Amino acid sequence: MSQVRVRFAPSPTGFLHIGGVRTALFNWLSARRQRGVFILRIEDTDQSRSTDESIQAIIDGMKWVGLDWDEGPFRQTERMDLYRSHAMKLFEAGHAYWCVCKAEELEARRKEAEAKGLSPRYDGRCHNLGIVDPPKDAALRFKAPLEGQIVIDDLIKGKIVFDNTVLDDLIILRSNGYPTYNFSVVVDDALMGITHVVRGDDHLTNTPRQIPIFVALGFPVPRFGHLPMILGADKTRLSKRHGATSIMAYKDMGYLPDAMVNYLVRLGWSHGDQELFTRQELIEKFSWDHVQKSAAIFNPDKLLWINAEYIKVSPPRQVAQALVPFLEQAGLREEVEAASAEWLAQLVVLVKERAKTLVEMVDWVKPYFGQEAQFEAEAAKKFLTPTIAPLLDKLLTRFEAFPSFSKQVWEESFKKLVEEEGIKMGALAQPVRVALTGRTASPGLFEVMEVLGRDRTLIRLRKGLEHASTG
């Protein structure tokens, strides 16, 4: 068997949509599973809508989710001579003809056909004119087959049959010399040796138009597969009204790339009841046989759950590295630069069970930066009171007597003081928590001290005592 060669071929007309990322992901997994080749191709022949910014957004999005390509990125605008030469081959072989119909004439005929309840396709009036010296505003049309059927053995949907009588003679070269989508994509797929074309099922009607072009050019026809759409909860096509649809928006919202990959692969593919997969497991287990035929429903809550799980199980240093830009955006650049990678990872371990996104994590870790805690007014008013000051003073004296921090020793000392005073643990723990973090909620008290270290713990306790003493 020949080597599997697949491609992801987005149009750079905006951000990289999560539906596009899922298509890229499935192709990437197929290539990696079969030791094939994954190609990135930018289909930028639509001059009115394609932008360099969108091309960069595609590349940035692919890199963020870790979908590396083996060849490319190719740009169609750099391959124009190839399209024109292959278009002329079709003309010379009698598979294409020049059309001199004006745009306004075509539009009028289209409306007339629709008014009569007919298919608004080209009526073929230039088909037999035999124009060999066309005017500058002529377009080149492909001669579609008039009889028979096109049968597609779809990788996902199974056998699909199209009647050739529904086809019309589509334009393959516009009057401005630019190729149309259905033609350029065939030339590219053929010349790049693509063996499997897997894309969204919004392209399903393009496939019977493209197969005859492969045949006419004498190229092998690749296997086709059409992925069902991703829908919102209301069963309509996923759009901005359902929330963010740009892959980079999820980066900005604090999602981890591996969590996004795990979620998107499960939108239309399954392996038993397993929910969470490593990247290597996905490569080993992926097959087109387990891609579902029906549309997938995007569930933001499920994505959030998966992201929270990835925050818990990912290497802390890896999470800390992803967290750094969010901390810098929160105004903590100097503190982050002064902190060690080890301490930042320690901080992640402290709060990873509580944060579902990196944005949430920033809020949880902010209290641990700086020498002193910023007291929340209500928390300080309730717990840092004159009545607690003597106890805080005793605790501080005991802690200051220890030359270094030991979680076990400090915790035993704390509990002994509580026992001696005949009070409940929370009566002292909550004031200490507010003194250390400025808040009433935090991870375990002695885990907090461990992250703060001896010196900052003592500084913050003194500040808490000072606040309590002055009321």
Side-chain angles (χ1 to χ4, degrees), residues 100-114:
V100 293
C101 296
K102 307 295 185 187
E104 54 271 20
E105 295 172 349
L106 294 171
E107 179 63 17
R109 284 182 230 151
R110 186 187 67 80
K111 289 182 177 178
E112 184 182 342
E114 285 181 339

Side-chain angles (χ1 to χ4, degrees), residues 119-400:
S119 175
R121 55 197 181 124
Y122 180 62
D123 60 10
R125 65 181 59 193
C126 291
H127 189 284
N128 296 316
L129 294 183
I131 300 170
V132 293
D133 187 19
K136 287 185 177 180
D137 59 352
L140 192 63
R141 288 186 181 270
F142 177 70
K143 291 181 180 178
L146 302 175
E147 300 174 342
Q149 295 177 325
I150 291 175
V151 180
I152 301 169
D153 181 18
D154 195 282
L155 285 163
I156 296 155
K157 296 178 179 295
K159 183 179 179 181
I160 306 172
V161 179
F162 291 91
D163 195 324
N164 286 340
T165 57
V166 303
L167 301 178
D168 61 352
D169 295 345
L170 59 88
I171 292 174
I172 57 173
L173 210 59
R174 296 187 180 94
S175 57
N176 64 3
Y178 269 68
T180 57
Y181 166 79
N182 276 306
F183 181 63
S184 59
V185 76
V186 169
V187 175
D188 282 339
D189 286 341
L191 298 182
M192 293 177 183
I194 302 301
T195 58
H196 298 74
V197 174
V198 182
R199 53 197 177 186
D201 63 7
D202 53 334
H203 285 284
L204 186 56
T205 55
N206 289 324
T207 302
R209 294 169 174 265
Q210 293 169 7
I211 288 176
I213 301 176
F214 278 102
V215 175
L217 285 169
F219 291 123
V221 178
R223 285 288 306 277
F224 287 90
H226 296 88
L227 295 167
M229 291 287 103
I230 300 175
L231 305 180
D234 58 359
K235 304 295 178 69
T236 61
R237 185 169 180 169
L238 193 66
S239 66
K240 288 182 180 179
R241 70 175 177 277
H242 299 111
T245 56
S246 160
I247 190 66
M248 296 305 276
Y250 286 93
K251 177 185 180 184
D252 295 341
M253 290 191 291
Y255 286 81
L256 297 177
D258 283 341
M260 289 301 303
V261 164
N262 197 133
Y263 180 72
L264 289 175
V265 81
R266 289 288 287 109
L267 273 182
W269 176 86
S270 62
H271 183 81
D273 295 328
Q274 188 171 346
E275 288 285 358
L276 301 177
F277 299 83
T278 65
R279 192 74 61 116
Q280 190 56 39
E281 281 179 319
L282 288 176
I283 292 170
E284 291 169 359
K285 298 177 188 300
F286 183 81
S287 78
W288 296 115
D289 296 338
H290 293 119
V291 174
Q292 67 186 38
K293 294 177 173 61
S294 56
I297 305 298
F298 188 83
N299 183 342
D301 294 334
K302 182 70 172 289
L303 171 58
L304 193 60
W305 175 80
I306 287 178
N307 198 62
E309 293 301 306
Y310 267 83
I311 284 176
K312 292 174 189 174
V313 303
S314 297
R317 280 194 177 226
Q318 183 179 312
V319 177
Q321 190 175 10
L323 182 65
V324 165
F326 293 90
L327 293 172
E328 291 177 345
Q329 288 168 20
L332 296 169
R333 181 182 294 273
E334 289 185 11
E335 291 88 340
V336 169
E337 289 175 351
S340 68
E342 182 182 0
W343 185 76
L344 290 173
Q346 196 179 358
L347 207 53
V348 167
V349 172
L350 183 68
V351 303
K352 67 180 183 178
E353 298 289 333
R354 295 166 178 263
K356 294 179 180 178
T357 68
L358 296 178
V359 170
E360 284 186 14
M361 188 173 279
V362 168
D363 189 56
W364 276 107
V365 302
K366 276 168 69 174
Y368 305 98
F369 288 91
Q371 289 296 307
E372 297 181 355
Q374 302 299 314
F375 301 136
E376 290 180 350
E378 286 300 314
K381 182 179 179 181
K382 184 175 180 180
F383 292 104
L384 297 181
T385 62
T387 54
I388 200 66
L391 267 179
L392 286 177
D393 193 23
K394 288 181 181 180
L395 182 68
L396 187 57
T397 301
R398 294 190 182 202
F399 282 177
E400 286 174 330

Side-chain angles (χ1 to χ4, degrees), residues 28-47:
W28 182 88
L29 288 172
S30 176
R32 296 292 172 261
R33 173 81 174 83
Q34 300 177 75
R35 294 182 173 83
V37 176
F38 177 63
I39 297 168
L40 177 60
R41 186 173 76 223
I42 309 296
E43 300 191 337
D44 60 344
T45 56
D46 186 343
Q47 289 182 297

